[in-house]
Amino acid sequence: MRGRRGVLMWMLVALLSCLPACRRESAEDALRERIADLERAVQARDAGELRGFLADDFVGNDGMDREDAVRLAQISFLRYRRVGVVLGPLQVELHERRATVRGSAMLTGGAGALPGSAQAYDVVTGWRLEDGEWRLVSAEWEPRL
């Protein structure tokens, strides 16, 4: 009897220790993490990695497609030695396998410690869950000033 109780106790401890690791990440948490990864890719000036966030059918302002967005990033990364992005609070609206994210973004670029150029934008993005990963399918931005 004593041996069974000890085995059951160890099984219970093992099961309970697995629960935090087994907890599934919510769709909103996964999307917010994906947005943070996108922010890091921009700050790392990595246009190749940026391409991986964009859906094949991405569309931005003025009909910008996926390749146009990557080229714009490449040009910006060439123009500015330092690129920064700071996101304001994000409002996430989930619609099953799609999401809309609204917020603000401050983009900076410059050669030294101080930004040579900075602009705040109001941003609305559309996201789609593809093969378990959130992809950016649309982005609209408007200068705040």
Side-chain angles (χ1 to χ4, degrees), residues 5-79:
R5 187 177 294 170
V7 169
L8 288 174
M9 180 61 79
W10 282 111
M11 288 175 61
L12 182 59
V13 167
L15 178 63
L16 290 175
S17 68
C18 287
L19 286 179
C22 296
R23 184 180 142 270
R24 291 188 65 198
E25 184 177 44
S26 76
E28 182 173 340
D29 290 341
L31 178 55
R32 287 181 181 276
E33 182 61 33
R34 185 75 169 156
I35 292 168
D37 290 343
L38 174 59
E39 185 178 4
R40 284 187 284 275
V42 169
Q43 290 177 340
R45 302 170 39 154
D46 190 336
E49 186 175 350
L50 181 65
R51 177 182 273 113
F53 288 89
L54 305 176
D56 291 340
D57 58 345
F58 171 83
V59 64
N61 283 15
D62 301 321
M64 176 185 293
D65 67 11
R66 181 181 189 205
E67 293 309 311
D68 292 337
V70 171
R71 277 192 292 277
L72 177 61
Q74 289 169 329
I75 290 168
S76 297
F77 298 158
L78 287 172
R79 181 173 181 190

Side-chain angles (χ1 to χ4, degrees), residues 61 103-105 119-124 139-145:
N61 283 15
S104 61
Q119 178 65 54
Y121 295 90
D122 289 321
V123 181
V124 178
E140 297 175 17
W141 57 92
E142 185 174 317
R144 285 192 117 185
L145 302 177

